[in-house]
Amino acid sequence: MSDENVITELVEKMTLEEKAGLCSGDDYWHTKGIPRLGIKRAMLTDGPHGLRRQVGKADHLGLNQSVPSTCYPAGATAANSWDTELITQMGSWIAEEAAAEGVSVVLGPALNIKRNPLCGRNFEYYSEDPFLSGKLAAAYIRGIQAKGLAACPKHFAVNNQERLRMVIDALVDERTLREIYLLPFEYAVKEGGAKTIMTSYNRVNGEYATESPHLLEEILHREWGFSGVVISDWGASNDRVSGLKAGNHLEMPSTGGESDEEIIQAIRSGRIGEELLDQRVRALLRLIRETAPAVEEGRDYSREEHHRHAQEIAEKSMVLLKNNGSILPLAPGTRCAVIGDFAETPRYQGAGSSIINPTRLISPLEALKASELEITGYEPGFHRFGKRSERKKERALALARRSDTVLLFLGLDESTEAEGLDREKMALPENQIDLLRALSRINRRLVVVLAGGAPVTTPWDAEVQALLHGYLGGQAGGAAIARILTGEVNPSGKLAETYPHRYEDIASSAYFPGREKTVEHREGLYVGYRYFDKAGSAPKYPFGYGLSYTSFAYSDLKADQPGAEFFVTNTGKRRGAEICQLYIGAEESRLFRPERELKGFARIELEPGEAKRVRIDLDDKAFAYYNTAAKSWMVDPGRYQIAVGPSSRDLPLRESLTILGDGGPVPYSRKLFPSYYSGNVANMESAEFQRLLGRPLPDPHWDPAERIGANTSILESAGHKGLGAFLYGLIRFLQPFCRYNLKKSTALQASLFMPYRSLVKMTQGLINTPMLEGILTMANRRFFKGTAQFVRAWKKRRREQ
Ligand code: BGC
């Protein structure tokens, strides 16, 4: 019998309760099994840069321990490799570990666009550019799925701030939505063939992503032809039945049967037909059955080998930002002081649901001591969490005086880059900069190694000779750093995001984060380098930039519509890898658009003196824009420039092409959209943004007179007297006690952003909706009535159980 027939038969045999039950988790990490029909439970697990398989207590913020697995470099790091083959391998290595642990669905890749450098979760995401993000995501997915498991690209969609992530409404115009925020997911689905996708917590233009007919039914299912399983982010489900209708299959985690009951009632009352549920169940059964063989065959893997793989990714991903007078690589025997807390206690991953319990951990200090350098000593130099310490500084200065070269390890600490919270500023802590300045006065040979998963401002970099960005290098990152500093490895990573001079240089700086109800994407298409190029302002380190110990020359570009060819020669003395980039821009355009956009890239290895011909094929989106009037991608006829080179700001090869295109009217007049045409979008007026959005801007502010409801966040309710203020006060009161437990203190802070709904959606049945109603009554200052309601609901539930 064919698989589809087996599934049809199973669906026929399943009761309504069993079908509804399959649409939500059994617990935190599993779907429900139905033993009488031989339907097994399937396990889903984070993701994305390794495996966070919990066996004891479960949570979605990495609070509880998980079994050891290889901690690969975080998404922000691996993206700098621009190496799709390597990312596919990374996917397959993670899949081997997943299969060995009985995991069917790996919750990754994470590919939200880095709209703003302060988003607290940027370390997990790939890039500010949708093409690069999409291509890397598709590569990762292919790696996972080639091993018979399913990947789960996340978080669909426009989830680019952590503040109030479970309630915030992302306002974004349709063209920007398609060209910037959805495009990477389109690649993930169409090129990666993702078998599942995770819907995000937030609302998009007024609708929760997890129940948005526009995102799920129209775009994902109908336009992109997605036939897999849509999974809500943990606790993202709001109205379960609307979600199911829109195209969501699986709610995670379990709600103790509560949402199953909602589905059953919706069918009994005729709100939805049973065929709809059957369709969702079919997709779920397909997923469970398709992934089962790989899980059953899962074998143990070599920890040692995977550790080496993690190191290889790190080595190809770190970015050399500065190297004055070729101070790097350091010759054997160079007398180096190692200074900075991050050398001994590395930052190697971000905090939250992606946190991996590594199988090993190599610190840069350990790796440097094992190298051929002469290490004169180690001093932490500063307090990791920003406290000043003259003693630490003085000891570091004394060590620097005794050494020829100073290797200074700076970075962002664990609490700064954590899921659930955004960063407050781009600068490194003052105590680190202060030490850097003091060291640079003593020892001119100052090399800084940075740790962190997102851009920092570097107003101090004129004082250092070399700057290596180690990003978050995973468990073997320390070894990769040492090998790059000593030249055993030639650095080859290039930035997948722009580093500005100042935070204010970022297009969205005035609109980020959304503070209360909405987050307005007023800058439109001009995210990252698209803004810097359009506005003609200079970034500190541009998108696509990164140095090598060798040099490359570009020549002989030949371009046509299907693709471009050119030569790259290694003109230096070492073997090295170069990341060649191809951008396309319209020479004169009838519509507003970025100056140029990344449309192709290739990573090549070259021996000294070697030249290679590079071919980059263009896809159907290379010249296209999303036409909102026609509701489709179209190509505007005209002349386009193909520009090729080593970074977005260094494009030596250029050629013009005439493209015939689709013609027809363009939806934007210059008069109505002057700032979008000029690129002057950092102070966008409401009226112009509103025109682009195509509807009145909703009030961004909370209304203190509004009733506290299931979707009110604790933070918002703090403004009302009563329970909300009490909960807020309690959280604030508890915070100092968790000061030394970073995981707990960030989780506590993030809990302020949670809506009351989470009490039902995240407690696996401990609290049900009638109990929540009681809590909400209390929060609305009817304390005694609410308590009675709560107790009644609690007793009723106990009786039923
Ligand atoms: C995160 C997801 C993650 C899930 C399960 C959520 O809080 O946003 O990325 O997969 O938890 O841990």
Side-chain angles (χ1 to χ4, degrees), residues 712-759:
T712 310
S713 64
I714 308 268
L715 185 66
E716 179 183 354
S717 74
H720 302 236
K721 291 200 188 84
L723 186 68
F726 170 75
L727 285 176
Y728 179 82
L730 183 68
I731 290 170
R732 286 273 182 251
F733 171 77
L734 289 175
Q735 269 173 332
F737 295 103
C738 298
R739 207 168 48 232
Y740 299 110
N741 183 334
L742 274 179
K743 284 185 184 172
K744 281 200 178 134
S745 72
T746 46
L748 213 51
Q749 176 70 24
S751 63
L752 283 175
F753 297 148
M754 286 187 149
Y756 282 82
R757 183 184 89 226
S758 304
L759 291 172

Short mmCIF file of all heavy atoms in Angstrom, two decimals, residues 712-759:
data_model
loop_
_atom_site.label_atom_id
_atom_site.label_comp_id
_atom_site.label_asym_id
_atom_site.label_seq_id
_atom_site.Cartn_x
_atom_site.Cartn_y
_atom_site.Cartn_z
N THR A 712 -2.78 40.88 27.17
CA THR A 712 -2.08 42.00 27.79
C THR A 712 -0.80 41.46 28.42
O THR A 712 -0.81 40.42 29.07
CB THR A 712 -2.95 42.63 28.90
OG1 THR A 712 -4.25 42.87 28.36
CG2 THR A 712 -2.36 43.91 29.43
N SER A 713 0.29 42.19 28.22
CA SER A 713 1.54 41.73 28.84
C SER A 713 1.58 42.15 30.30
O SER A 713 0.91 43.10 30.70
CB SER A 713 2.74 42.32 28.10
OG SER A 713 2.73 43.72 28.24
N ILE A 714 2.40 41.45 31.08
CA ILE A 714 2.56 41.81 32.50
C ILE A 714 3.04 43.26 32.58
O ILE A 714 2.58 44.03 33.41
CB ILE A 714 3.62 40.90 33.17
CG1 ILE A 714 3.32 39.44 32.92
CG2 ILE A 714 3.78 41.24 34.64
CD1 ILE A 714 2.50 38.71 33.90
N LEU A 715 3.95 43.62 31.66
CA LEU A 715 4.49 44.98 31.69
C LEU A 715 3.38 46.01 31.50
O LEU A 715 3.31 47.01 32.23
CB LEU A 715 5.54 45.14 30.59
CG LEU A 715 6.27 46.47 30.57
CD1 LEU A 715 7.11 46.62 31.82
CD2 LEU A 715 7.17 46.58 29.34
N GLU A 716 2.52 45.77 30.53
CA GLU A 716 1.43 46.72 30.30
C GLU A 716 0.50 46.78 31.52
O GLU A 716 0.10 47.85 31.95
CB GLU A 716 0.62 46.32 29.06
CG GLU A 716 -0.53 47.28 28.81
CD GLU A 716 -1.42 46.89 27.62
OE1 GLU A 716 -1.08 45.93 26.90
OE2 GLU A 716 -2.45 47.56 27.43
N SER A 717 0.22 45.62 32.08
CA SER A 717 -0.74 45.59 33.19
C SER A 717 -0.17 46.24 34.45
O SER A 717 -0.91 46.57 35.37
CB SER A 717 -1.20 44.16 33.47
OG SER A 717 -0.18 43.45 34.12
N ALA A 718 1.16 46.42 34.47
CA ALA A 718 1.77 47.06 35.64
C ALA A 718 1.25 48.48 35.82
O ALA A 718 1.24 49.03 36.92
CB ALA A 718 3.28 47.07 35.52
N GLY A 719 0.82 49.07 34.72
CA GLY A 719 0.29 50.43 34.78
C GLY A 719 -1.08 50.50 35.45
O GLY A 719 -1.54 51.56 35.83
N HIS A 720 -1.74 49.34 35.56
CA HIS A 720 -3.04 49.32 36.24
C HIS A 720 -2.75 48.93 37.69
O HIS A 720 -1.91 48.08 37.93
CB HIS A 720 -3.94 48.24 35.65
CG HIS A 720 -4.18 48.40 34.17
ND1 HIS A 720 -5.42 48.49 33.63
CD2 HIS A 720 -3.32 48.47 33.12
CE1 HIS A 720 -5.32 48.62 32.32
NE2 HIS A 720 -4.05 48.61 32.00
N LYS A 721 -3.48 49.47 38.58
CA LYS A 721 -3.24 49.05 39.98
C LYS A 721 -3.74 47.61 40.11
O LYS A 721 -4.48 47.14 39.28
CB LYS A 721 -4.00 49.97 40.93
CG LYS A 721 -3.44 51.36 40.96
CD LYS A 721 -3.88 52.08 42.23
CE LYS A 721 -3.48 53.53 42.19
NZ LYS A 721 -4.44 54.35 41.45
N GLY A 722 -3.37 46.92 41.17
CA GLY A 722 -3.90 45.59 41.38
C GLY A 722 -2.88 44.52 41.03
O GLY A 722 -1.67 44.73 41.16
N LEU A 723 -3.38 43.38 40.55
CA LEU A 723 -2.52 42.22 40.35
C LEU A 723 -1.34 42.50 39.41
O LEU A 723 -0.22 42.05 39.65
CB LEU A 723 -3.35 41.05 39.79
CG LEU A 723 -2.59 39.74 39.68
CD1 LEU A 723 -2.24 39.17 41.05
CD2 LEU A 723 -3.41 38.71 38.90
N GLY A 724 -1.63 43.26 38.32
CA GLY A 724 -0.57 43.55 37.36
C GLY A 724 0.59 44.26 38.05
O GLY A 724 1.75 43.88 37.89
N ALA A 725 0.25 45.28 38.82
CA ALA A 725 1.29 46.03 39.53
C ALA A 725 2.00 45.12 40.53
O ALA A 725 3.22 45.20 40.70
CB ALA A 725 0.67 47.22 40.24
N PHE A 726 1.22 44.21 41.14
CA PHE A 726 1.81 43.30 42.11
C PHE A 726 2.82 42.35 41.43
O PHE A 726 3.94 42.18 41.89
CB PHE A 726 0.70 42.49 42.80
CG PHE A 726 1.22 41.37 43.64
CD1 PHE A 726 1.80 41.64 44.88
CD2 PHE A 726 1.17 40.05 43.20
CE1 PHE A 726 2.32 40.61 45.66
CE2 PHE A 726 1.68 39.02 43.97
CZ PHE A 726 2.26 39.30 45.20
N LEU A 727 2.38 41.78 40.29
CA LEU A 727 3.28 40.85 39.58
C LEU A 727 4.56 41.56 39.13
O LEU A 727 5.66 41.05 39.25
CB LEU A 727 2.58 40.26 38.36
CG LEU A 727 1.54 39.19 38.64
CD1 LEU A 727 0.84 38.77 37.35
CD2 LEU A 727 2.20 37.97 39.30
N TYR A 728 4.35 42.77 38.63
CA TYR A 728 5.49 43.56 38.18
C TYR A 728 6.44 43.80 39.35
O TYR A 728 7.65 43.59 39.26
CB TYR A 728 4.99 44.89 37.61
CG TYR A 728 6.09 45.80 37.14
CD1 TYR A 728 6.66 45.61 35.88
CD2 TYR A 728 6.56 46.84 37.94
CE1 TYR A 728 7.68 46.44 35.44
CE2 TYR A 728 7.58 47.67 37.51
CZ TYR A 728 8.14 47.47 36.27
OH TYR A 728 9.14 48.27 35.84
N GLY A 729 5.85 44.20 40.47
CA GLY A 729 6.64 44.48 41.68
C GLY A 729 7.37 43.22 42.13
O GLY A 729 8.54 43.27 42.51
N LEU A 730 6.66 42.09 42.07
CA LEU A 730 7.25 40.83 42.51
C LEU A 730 8.48 40.48 41.65
O LEU A 730 9.54 40.11 42.17
CB LEU A 730 6.20 39.71 42.40
CG LEU A 730 6.62 38.34 42.89
CD1 LEU A 730 6.81 38.36 44.41
CD2 LEU A 730 5.58 37.28 42.53
N ILE A 731 8.30 40.63 40.34
CA ILE A 731 9.42 40.31 39.44
C ILE A 731 10.60 41.23 39.73
O ILE A 731 11.74 40.78 39.85
CB ILE A 731 8.96 40.42 37.96
CG1 ILE A 731 7.99 39.27 37.66
CG2 ILE A 731 10.14 40.39 37.00
CD1 ILE A 731 7.26 39.36 36.34
N ARG A 732 10.31 42.50 39.88
CA ARG A 732 11.38 43.45 40.18
C ARG A 732 12.05 43.12 41.52
O ARG A 732 13.26 43.25 41.68
CB ARG A 732 10.83 44.87 40.22
CG ARG A 732 10.52 45.41 38.85
CD ARG A 732 11.80 46.05 38.29
NE ARG A 732 11.58 46.63 36.99
CZ ARG A 732 12.07 46.14 35.85
NH1 ARG A 732 12.78 45.03 35.86
NH2 ARG A 732 11.86 46.74 34.71
N PHE A 733 11.23 42.67 42.49
CA PHE A 733 11.75 42.33 43.80
C PHE A 733 12.67 41.11 43.72
O PHE A 733 13.72 41.05 44.37
CB PHE A 733 10.56 42.06 44.74
CG PHE A 733 10.96 41.48 46.07
CD1 PHE A 733 11.49 42.30 47.07
CD2 PHE A 733 10.80 40.12 46.33
CE1 PHE A 733 11.86 41.76 48.29
CE2 PHE A 733 11.16 39.57 47.54
CZ PHE A 733 11.70 40.40 48.53
N LEU A 734 12.25 40.14 42.88
CA LEU A 734 13.04 38.90 42.81
C LEU A 734 14.34 39.07 42.04
O LEU A 734 15.31 38.34 42.25
CB LEU A 734 12.20 37.80 42.12
CG LEU A 734 11.03 37.26 42.95
CD1 LEU A 734 10.22 36.28 42.12
CD2 LEU A 734 11.55 36.56 44.22
N GLN A 735 14.35 40.06 41.15
CA GLN A 735 15.52 40.19 40.26
C GLN A 735 16.87 40.24 40.98
O GLN A 735 17.78 39.50 40.61
CB GLN A 735 15.34 41.38 39.33
CG GLN A 735 14.67 40.93 38.05
CD GLN A 735 14.31 42.07 37.13
OE1 GLN A 735 14.08 43.18 37.59
NE2 GLN A 735 14.27 41.80 35.85
N PRO A 736 17.00 41.07 42.03
CA PRO A 736 18.32 41.11 42.68
C PRO A 736 18.77 39.76 43.23
O PRO A 736 19.96 39.46 43.24
CB PRO A 736 18.12 42.11 43.84
CG PRO A 736 16.87 42.85 43.51
CD PRO A 736 16.06 42.02 42.59
N PHE A 737 17.80 38.91 43.62
CA PHE A 737 18.19 37.61 44.17
C PHE A 737 18.76 36.69 43.09
O PHE A 737 19.42 35.71 43.37
CB PHE A 737 16.98 36.92 44.83
CG PHE A 737 16.49 37.68 46.02
CD1 PHE A 737 15.35 38.45 45.94
CD2 PHE A 737 17.18 37.64 47.22
CE1 PHE A 737 14.90 39.17 47.02
CE2 PHE A 737 16.75 38.36 48.32
CZ PHE A 737 15.60 39.14 48.22
N CYS A 738 18.40 36.99 41.84
CA CYS A 738 18.89 36.13 40.74
C CYS A 738 20.09 36.76 40.06
O CYS A 738 20.52 36.31 38.99
CB CYS A 738 17.79 35.95 39.69
SG CYS A 738 16.36 35.15 40.33
N ARG A 739 20.60 37.81 40.66
CA ARG A 739 21.69 38.56 40.04
C ARG A 739 22.83 37.66 39.56
O ARG A 739 23.42 37.86 38.53
CB ARG A 739 22.19 39.55 41.08
CG ARG A 739 22.81 40.75 40.53
CD ARG A 739 23.06 41.86 41.50
NE ARG A 739 23.70 41.48 42.74
CZ ARG A 739 23.24 41.80 43.93
NH1 ARG A 739 22.10 42.46 44.05
NH2 ARG A 739 23.88 41.46 45.03
N TYR A 740 23.12 36.64 40.37
CA TYR A 740 24.27 35.81 40.04
C TYR A 740 23.89 34.56 39.24
O TYR A 740 24.71 33.71 38.96
CB TYR A 740 25.04 35.43 41.31
CG TYR A 740 25.56 36.68 41.98
CD1 TYR A 740 25.03 37.11 43.19
CD2 TYR A 740 26.53 37.46 41.36
CE1 TYR A 740 25.48 38.29 43.77
CE2 TYR A 740 26.98 38.63 41.93
CZ TYR A 740 26.45 39.05 43.14
OH TYR A 740 26.88 40.22 43.70
N ASN A 741 22.60 34.46 38.94
CA ASN A 741 22.19 33.36 38.06
C ASN A 741 21.66 34.00 36.78
O ASN A 741 20.51 34.40 36.68
CB ASN A 741 21.11 32.53 38.74
CG ASN A 741 20.71 31.34 37.89
OD1 ASN A 741 20.83 31.37 36.67
ND2 ASN A 741 20.23 30.30 38.54
N LEU A 742 22.58 34.10 35.83
CA LEU A 742 22.25 34.86 34.61
C LEU A 742 21.03 34.34 33.90
O LEU A 742 20.19 35.10 33.44
CB LEU A 742 23.43 34.77 33.65
CG LEU A 742 24.49 35.82 33.89
CD1 LEU A 742 25.62 35.62 32.93
CD2 LEU A 742 23.88 37.19 33.73
N LYS A 743 20.92 33.01 33.82
CA LYS A 743 19.80 32.44 33.08
C LYS A 743 18.50 32.86 33.74
O LYS A 743 17.56 33.28 33.09
CB LYS A 743 19.90 30.92 33.08
CG LYS A 743 20.94 30.38 32.14
CD LYS A 743 20.84 28.88 32.14
CE LYS A 743 21.92 28.25 31.29
NZ LYS A 743 21.93 26.81 31.44
N LYS A 744 18.48 32.75 35.08
CA LYS A 744 17.24 33.09 35.78
C LYS A 744 16.95 34.57 35.69
O LYS A 744 15.80 34.98 35.52
CB LYS A 744 17.33 32.65 37.25
CG LYS A 744 17.09 31.19 37.41
CD LYS A 744 16.71 30.82 38.83
CE LYS A 744 16.43 29.32 38.88
NZ LYS A 744 17.06 28.67 40.01
N SER A 745 17.97 35.40 35.82
CA SER A 745 17.67 36.84 35.85
C SER A 745 17.21 37.32 34.48
O SER A 745 16.30 38.14 34.40
CB SER A 745 18.85 37.65 36.38
OG SER A 745 19.87 37.67 35.44
N THR A 746 17.76 36.78 33.40
CA THR A 746 17.27 37.22 32.09
C THR A 746 15.86 36.67 31.85
O THR A 746 15.00 37.36 31.31
CB THR A 746 18.19 36.80 30.92
OG1 THR A 746 18.54 35.45 31.09
CG2 THR A 746 19.44 37.63 30.85
N ALA A 747 15.60 35.44 32.30
CA ALA A 747 14.26 34.87 32.12
C ALA A 747 13.23 35.68 32.89
O ALA A 747 12.12 35.92 32.42
CB ALA A 747 14.24 33.42 32.58
N LEU A 748 13.62 36.12 34.06
CA LEU A 748 12.71 36.91 34.90
C LEU A 748 12.39 38.23 34.20
O LEU A 748 11.23 38.66 34.12
CB LEU A 748 13.40 37.18 36.23
CG LEU A 748 12.54 37.27 37.48
CD1 LEU A 748 11.62 36.09 37.61
CD2 LEU A 748 13.43 37.36 38.71
N GLN A 749 13.43 38.84 33.68
CA GLN A 749 13.23 40.10 32.98
C GLN A 749 12.33 39.89 31.75
O GLN A 749 11.38 40.64 31.51
CB GLN A 749 14.61 40.64 32.54
CG GLN A 749 14.58 41.89 31.70
CD GLN A 749 14.16 43.13 32.50
OE1 GLN A 749 14.30 43.15 33.73
NE2 GLN A 749 13.60 44.11 31.83
N ALA A 750 12.60 38.79 31.02
CA ALA A 750 11.81 38.52 29.81
C ALA A 750 10.36 38.22 30.16
O ALA A 750 9.46 38.46 29.35
CB ALA A 750 12.44 37.36 29.05
N SER A 751 10.12 37.70 31.37
CA SER A 751 8.74 37.33 31.71
C SER A 751 7.84 38.56 31.82
O SER A 751 6.62 38.47 31.70
CB SER A 751 8.70 36.51 33.01
OG SER A 751 9.19 37.31 34.05
N LEU A 752 8.43 39.72 31.99
CA LEU A 752 7.63 40.96 32.01
C LEU A 752 6.93 41.18 30.67
O LEU A 752 5.90 41.83 30.58
CB LEU A 752 8.53 42.16 32.26
CG LEU A 752 9.01 42.39 33.67
CD1 LEU A 752 9.99 43.55 33.70
CD2 LEU A 752 7.83 42.69 34.57
N PHE A 753 7.54 40.65 29.64
CA PHE A 753 7.00 40.86 28.29
C PHE A 753 5.95 39.82 27.90
O PHE A 753 5.41 39.85 26.82
CB PHE A 753 8.15 40.79 27.26
CG PHE A 753 9.18 41.88 27.43
CD1 PHE A 753 10.50 41.65 27.10
CD2 PHE A 753 8.82 43.13 27.90
CE1 PHE A 753 11.46 42.65 27.24
CE2 PHE A 753 9.76 44.14 28.04
CZ PHE A 753 11.08 43.89 27.72
N MET A 754 5.70 38.88 28.80
CA MET A 754 4.75 37.81 28.45
C MET A 754 3.32 38.25 28.67
O MET A 754 3.01 38.94 29.63
CB MET A 754 5.03 36.59 29.31
CG MET A 754 6.27 35.87 28.91
SD MET A 754 6.36 34.39 29.87
CE MET A 754 7.18 33.31 28.78
N PRO A 755 2.42 37.76 27.81
CA PRO A 755 1.02 38.06 28.05
C PRO A 755 0.42 37.07 29.07
O PRO A 755 0.98 35.99 29.27
CB PRO A 755 0.39 37.83 26.68
CG PRO A 755 1.26 36.83 26.02
CD PRO A 755 2.65 37.03 26.56
N TYR A 756 -0.70 37.42 29.64
CA TYR A 756 -1.36 36.53 30.61
C TYR A 756 -1.70 35.18 29.96
O TYR A 756 -1.74 34.15 30.62
CB TYR A 756 -2.61 37.20 31.17
CG TYR A 756 -2.27 38.23 32.22
CD1 TYR A 756 -1.87 39.51 31.87
CD2 TYR A 756 -2.30 37.91 33.57
CE1 TYR A 756 -1.52 40.46 32.83
CE2 TYR A 756 -1.95 38.85 34.54
CZ TYR A 756 -1.57 40.11 34.16
OH TYR A 756 -1.22 41.03 35.12
N ARG A 757 -1.97 35.22 28.66
CA ARG A 757 -2.29 33.99 27.92
C ARG A 757 -1.27 32.87 28.16
O ARG A 757 -1.60 31.70 28.18
CB ARG A 757 -2.28 34.38 26.44
CG ARG A 757 -2.64 33.33 25.48
CD ARG A 757 -2.47 33.86 24.06
NE ARG A 757 -1.13 33.66 23.53
CZ ARG A 757 -0.40 34.57 22.89
NH1 ARG A 757 -0.88 35.78 22.69
NH2 ARG A 757 0.79 34.30 22.44
N SER A 758 0.00 33.29 28.36
CA SER A 758 1.07 32.29 28.53
C SER A 758 0.83 31.40 29.74
O SER A 758 1.34 30.28 29.80
CB SER A 758 2.42 32.98 28.70
OG SER A 758 2.65 33.81 27.62
N LEU A 759 0.06 31.90 30.71
CA LEU A 759 -0.20 31.06 31.88
C LEU A 759 -0.92 29.78 31.48
O LEU A 759 -0.77 28.74 32.11
CB LEU A 759 -1.06 31.84 32.90
CG LEU A 759 -0.39 33.02 33.59
CD1 LEU A 759 -1.37 33.81 34.40
CD2 LEU A 759 0.76 32.51 34.47
#
